Amino acid sequence: MFIPRKNHLFSNVLLQVSVINTCEITALALIRLWIRFRSGLMVPDMLSRRISYIQSLFTVMSLVLISLVFLRAFRKLRNVRSVISEDDYSEMAKLQEEMNPAGISSLSSYSVLQLLQIWAFVLIGVNIVQETWSAMYQNFISMLAQNLVFVTTANFFEIYNLSHGFKYIGMVTAIIIAIFVTGVFLRDSKLKWAAVIVLLVFTAAFALMRMRTITVSGHNVGIVWTSVICHLMQTVGLFSVAMYLRDK
């Protein structure tokens, strides 16, 4: 069986997650800048315990909200599917296609359920793994900073930039795969190509691009491009995919 096209169940979930991620990243960025400028922090943000605690709090809050979004979507889909017996799903789908082909979604309710499960695993499960990797990477950078006597400051920041992509590669790869799989479900070549392009861009940023430093109010702020791409994927990327799916 199909769900009504006007429900936009799947795209609404991605929209809400993108809004949650945007609020989290924006709030955390503002707090980081405030702490850095107020205290004159001269080391990477991840070496600050205060910033680490705040980031952990924001991450937990974000994961809880995202989980609630998916739980609400699963409950709503279950209610729609429970209207008729499971044995009648196929017959109902045929009837819907014959009577109202323009008013039903492009995918069956079962396909929507599968996509929701895939994206829930990515945006919740992989996100938890991502935070674990982040904590381990933070320990690595902290240990490296404590042994700066063996490396120059310039080499330290070069190592920091080159290794930073490992922190985000899991999450970015998972989102790329999820977008590609969504394209497979919808038989949509644009989503598949979008996933391939993002994959190439992230790989290029990881292997070729170096950290850029900008000056804000007299303070130097380093921009790591792999981090920028990951955060854009979690915010603008999800929002764009959601809006495309609504239109599709």
Side-chain angles (χ1 to χ4, degrees), residues 84-238:
I84 64 173
S85 171
E86 187 173 344
D87 296 333
D88 297 328
Y89 283 171
S90 297
E91 294 299 323
M92 184 63 177
K94 294 178 182 178
L95 180 63
Q96 288 176 305
E97 289 179 314
E98 292 176 0
M99 300 297 295
N100 187 25
I104 60 176
S105 62
S106 301
L107 297 174
S108 68
S109 60
Y110 181 67
S111 294
V112 173
L113 176 61
Q114 289 178 307
L115 281 176
L116 282 175
Q117 291 173 343
I118 292 170
W119 280 94
F121 181 79
V122 168
L123 297 175
I124 300 174
V126 176
N127 207 348
I128 293 174
V129 177
Q130 161 81 16
E131 293 307 315
T132 303
W133 289 348
S134 296
M136 299 301 295
Y137 180 72
Q138 180 176 345
N139 291 336
F140 164 73
I141 293 297
S142 178
M143 292 173 62
L144 186 63
Q146 292 172 7
N147 291 276
L148 273 177
V149 65
F150 300 108
V151 294
T152 65
T153 303
N155 287 339
F156 170 75
F157 283 106
E158 184 69 12
I159 294 172
Y160 175 78
N161 174 66
L162 290 174
S163 62
H164 211 70
F166 290 107
K167 178 181 177 181
Y168 299 105
I169 191 170
M171 192 67 197
V172 172
T173 302
I175 293 178
I176 290 173
I177 292 174
I179 292 174
F180 189 88
V181 169
T182 303
V184 171
F185 269 78
L186 290 169
R187 299 181 179 88
D188 191 305
S189 59
K190 291 181 180 179
L191 285 177
K192 297 177 187 177
W193 277 110
V196 172
I197 291 171
V198 174
L199 178 63
L200 294 176
V201 171
F202 182 80
T203 302
F206 197 172
L208 303 175
M209 300 180 71
R210 297 294 180 260
M211 183 169 61
R212 181 179 177 84
T213 302
I214 62 174
T215 302
V216 180
S217 300
H219 294 267
N220 292 329
V221 178
I223 299 177
V224 181
W225 294 110
T226 50
S227 173
V228 172
I229 293 173
C230 181
H231 292 323
L232 285 177
M233 287 294 296
Q234 291 177 303
T235 54
V236 178
L238 289 182

Side-chain angles (χ1 to χ4, degrees), residues 5-20:
R5 182 185 296 271
K6 63 181 181 180
N7 282 0
H8 296 297
L9 181 64
F10 179 51
S11 59
N12 280 345
V13 169
L14 296 186
L15 275 176
Q16 292 171 48
V17 173
S18 70
V19 170
I20 293 172

